[in-house]
Amino acid sequence: MYMKEKIRELCKQKNAVIFAHYYTRPEIQEIADFIGDSLALAQQATRVHADILVMCGVHFMGETMKILCPDKKVLIPDMAAGCSLADSCKAEDLAAFKAKYPDHMVVSYVNTSADVKALTDVVVTSSNAKKIVDQLPADAKIIFGPDHNLGSYINSVTGRDMLLWNGACHVHSRFSLEALLQLKRENPGVEVLAHPECKAPILAQSDVIGSTKALLEHTIKSPAKRFIIATESGILHEMQRACPDKEFIPVPPEITEGVGCSCNECEYMRLNTLEKVYNCLLNEQPEMIVDEQIAKKAYSSIDRMLCMS
Ligand code: 13P
Ligand code: SF4
């Protein structure tokens, strides 16, 4: 039996459901029961009836799922699938920062550890950040973290003056402005779609700024046939599947000598492979476990987000 069939068979036997983020490998998206952005995956997790949830994405997504579904077994194919953005905000550093601004509330991007979410008043994703910040009291003093680019963008569209943490995603912050300008010259009139985790100069050159889901929906709805895309390239798989007659042109990253890979892929997301999905279902390992006290506090900030979305 092929690996994909073996995985689906195990899902049936064990009453398991597979979730995959849009940035995972195409073959992972193809075996998933649900694919989506961070918000959609969190919402969907609370609705499914299954004994086992397999989260193919990165560590914080598995944690979020376990916090929302404490009675289910949550597996993630590779515990080493981290996130440079989540890593840029350690709970102890945020606690020290909060102590300096005791009259501020904390709004955290979902790309954070459970420990950081436990110190947070309300979690947001790129899909709902504007909507949620707009609902906070007009005079609220706010710390926003960890993504500085997303925070600046939300400040600009809400007219807020949130105090921003200085974190970034290494994939989204490395798109090359020079290459984007060149693509625009070569493809006059073609819309540029960008994720708000990109740096301000990239966003300034973009026509549509939105979460992975918002960008995908735009490509489906728009009558245009070609798009320039500034986000992790995994999304191109679903864009191409949903719009087989359209063309998607990815913006390349800056090439920094000796650093990282020269593509716009998140290497953490790529750690999810069919073999690891199969093994984790077979052995029911690695299992996501979140400390109960932390999970309880983190639940409040995630639940507040779901209620305000
Ligand atoms: P969304 O899925 O919320 O668009 O976030 C993108 C991301 O970087 C996930 O790690
Ligand atoms: Fe984290 Fe960036 Fe990878 Fe998303 S793309 S998981 S923000 S490192």
Side-chain angles (χ1 to χ4, degrees):
M1 225 192 287
Y2 291 112
M3 193 53 103
K4 285 183 179 174
E5 289 156 13
K6 288 187 349 187
I7 290 171
R8 292 311 320 167
E9 187 57 38
L10 268 181
C11 281
K12 224 189 281 167
Q13 276 172 28
K14 298 197 175 206
N15 191 23
V17 165
I18 301 179
F19 296 82
H21 191 273
Y22 287 127
Y23 295 168
T24 51
R25 295 168 186 272
E27 62 271 26
I28 298 289
Q29 298 187 40
E30 282 157 16
I31 47 117
D33 296 279
F34 300 102
I35 52 172
D37 67 355
S38 313
L39 177 63
L41 293 173
Q43 286 171 327
Q44 195 59 48
T46 62
R47 295 181 194 134
V48 295
H49 298 287
D51 297 316
I52 296 178
L53 310 180
V54 182
M55 181 61 235
C56 302
V58 293
H59 190 272
F60 76 81
M61 295 178 179
E63 270 186 341
T64 304
M65 203 161 262
K66 181 67 187 174
I67 292 164
L68 286 170
C69 312
D71 301 333
K72 299 204 168 102
K73 186 173 265 190
V74 175
L75 305 174
I76 78 165
D78 191 331
M79 277 288 170
C83 168
S84 55
L85 179 52
D87 287 348
S88 67
C89 183
K90 300 276 176 245
E92 58 271 29
D93 297 337
L94 178 61
F97 194 70
K98 268 181 78 163
K100 277 209 249 169
Y101 300 97
D103 55 346
H104 282 55
M105 64 185 295
V106 178
V107 176
S108 292
Y109 194 28
V110 69
N111 297 42
T112 43
S113 66
D115 291 348
V116 165
K117 290 187 178 81
L119 296 170
T120 294
D121 294 288
V122 59
V123 169
V124 298
T125 75
S126 49
S127 277
N128 59 22
K130 179 182 182 309
K131 187 174 177 187
I132 289 179
V133 170
D134 275 339
Q135 291 174 65
L136 301 176
D139 58 351
K141 292 179 177 167
I142 304 168
I143 294 170
F144 182 95
D147 193 77
H148 196 278
N149 297 327
L150 175 65
S152 304
Y153 172 69
I154 297 299
N155 270 344
S156 74
V157 292
T158 59
R160 300 269 180 164
D161 186 19
M162 302 187 293
L163 260 184
L164 305 180
W165 193 263
N166 199 16
C169 156
H170 72 295
V171 179
H172 286 90
S173 57
R174 74 184 173 200
F175 286 111
S176 161
L177 179 61
E178 214 177 291
L180 172 57
L181 294 173
Q182 178 68 23
L183 282 174
K184 286 181 73 159
R185 281 192 293 273
E186 288 166 5
N187 300 279
V190 173
E191 276 184 329
V192 178
L193 278 51
H195 194 282
E197 285 175 24
C198 297
K199 284 182 182 163
I202 297 281
L203 298 182
Q205 292 295 329
S206 302
D207 303 288
V208 180
I209 299 169
S211 67
T212 37
K213 181 163 173 258
L215 300 184
L216 172 66
E217 282 173 354
H218 181 82
T219 60
I220 295 170
K221 274 192 302 202
S222 167
K225 291 283 180 208
R226 304 176 74 227
F227 304 88
I228 297 172
I229 309 290
T231 189
E232 212 273 359
S233 58
I235 187 65
L236 300 182
H237 176 70
E238 184 57 17
M239 285 177 172
Q240 202 67 78
R241 198 199 58 77
C243 313
D245 60 331
K246 298 187 181 180
E247 187 192 345
F248 304 99
I249 308 161
V251 179
E254 279 166 2
I255 307 293
T256 318
E257 222 174 298
V259 179
C261 79
S262 58
C263 57
N264 44 16
E265 290 181 355
C266 172
E267 53 272 49
Y268 301 114
M269 290 281 183
R270 296 302 187 285
L271 287 176
N272 294 282
T273 61
L274 287 179
E275 198 178 356
K276 288 182 201 169
V277 174
Y278 175 75
N279 286 332
C280 96
L281 267 166
L282 186 70
N283 305 318
E284 301 189 16
Q285 286 289 339
E287 182 181 356
M288 181 56 72
I289 305 288
V290 183
D291 173 86
E292 244 177 70
Q293 288 310 310
I294 294 291
K296 220 166 140 187
K297 289 187 195 154
Y299 178 84
S300 311
S301 59
I302 302 170
D303 187 50
R304 203 161 292 137
M305 166 185 83
L306 294 177
C307 295
M308 292 169 83
S309 294

